[in-house]
Amino acid sequence: MKLTTGLRAVAIYEAAKGVLVLLAGLEVLSLMHQDAQHFAEQLVAHLHLNPAKGYPRVFIDAATNVTDARLWLLAGFALVYVGVRWIEAYGLWFEKRWAEWLAVTSGGIYVPAEAFEIVRGVTWTKILLLIVNVCIVAYLIYVLWRSKGSRIEQQSRGTGF
């Protein structure tokens, strides 16, 4: 697989994550002046989760205390995240070195948190997310390493070494 093909695949993946967060941000804004607790309870029930345990309970409790100002804040954070993902995707698509560094950094930040989540409780979803993320980060490190080597080789040819 050529490096360009791999970078474009990662770019599409990052852009898709941005689209999902944009949709979630719009959904958050649709809760303005609505009963957020009722929405949270319906979502938990639809996903067949136990509303009395763990994250579903935290989610319902958070929805109970939500205000319009907090919804705007969440939507704002979502918009910033979307912007970063799409800028990263653009840079990766056009093979920009800064985007490769951004992708390694932003992907690498999640690895310890994903590993910690697996320690807290193993699920196939958590394992899959960790594997995908580690593979992407490793691939991008390889791309950076390879492009560094080709840059050094070009410089040595240009200086007569």
Side-chain angles (χ1 to χ4, degrees):
M1 177 169 67
K2 292 172 42 177
L3 292 181
T4 301
T5 305
L7 286 174
R8 289 196 170 171
V10 176
I12 290 168
Y13 178 72
E14 294 300 330
K17 288 191 321 190
V19 168
L20 288 175
V21 172
L22 178 63
L23 293 173
L26 292 173
E27 185 62 32
V28 163
L29 285 180
S30 77
L31 294 175
M32 298 283 282
H33 312 297
Q34 303 291 323
D35 185 358
Q37 179 182 356
H38 179 69
F39 170 80
E41 290 169 349
Q42 282 184 323
L43 182 60
V44 166
H46 178 73
L47 295 173
H48 305 288
L49 301 173
N50 183 348
K53 286 188 155 185
Y55 291 124
R57 179 79 255 151
V58 171
F59 178 63
I60 292 170
D61 290 345
T64 302
N65 300 318
V66 75
T67 63
D68 287 352
R70 286 185 181 160
L71 292 174
W72 277 110
L73 184 65
L74 286 171
F77 282 136
L79 188 60
V80 169
Y81 181 88
V82 168
V84 170
R85 292 287 73 100
W86 285 354
I87 289 168
E88 181 181 325
Y90 170 86
L92 289 171
W93 188 268
F94 291 105
E95 301 178 54
K96 303 295 183 187
R97 191 161 175 81
W98 57 263
E100 294 164 4
W101 278 107
L102 177 61
V104 165
T105 304
S106 67
I109 287 172
Y110 293 113
V111 171
E114 291 169 344
F116 177 74
E117 280 300 313
I118 289 175
V119 170
R120 291 184 60 202
V122 177
T123 67
W124 286 110
T125 304
K126 291 176 184 179
I127 291 170
L128 180 64
L129 287 174
L130 178 62
I131 289 170
V132 167
N133 197 23
V134 167
C135 288
I136 288 172
V137 170
Y139 173 74
L140 290 168
I141 289 171
Y142 169 75
V143 168
L144 285 166
W145 174 76
R146 180 129 183 220
S147 66
K148 179 183 178 187
S150 66
R151 229 179 36 253
I152 291 170
E153 186 178 302
Q154 289 173 353
Q155 289 174 349
S156 67
R157 275 192 243 145
T159 58
F161 286 117

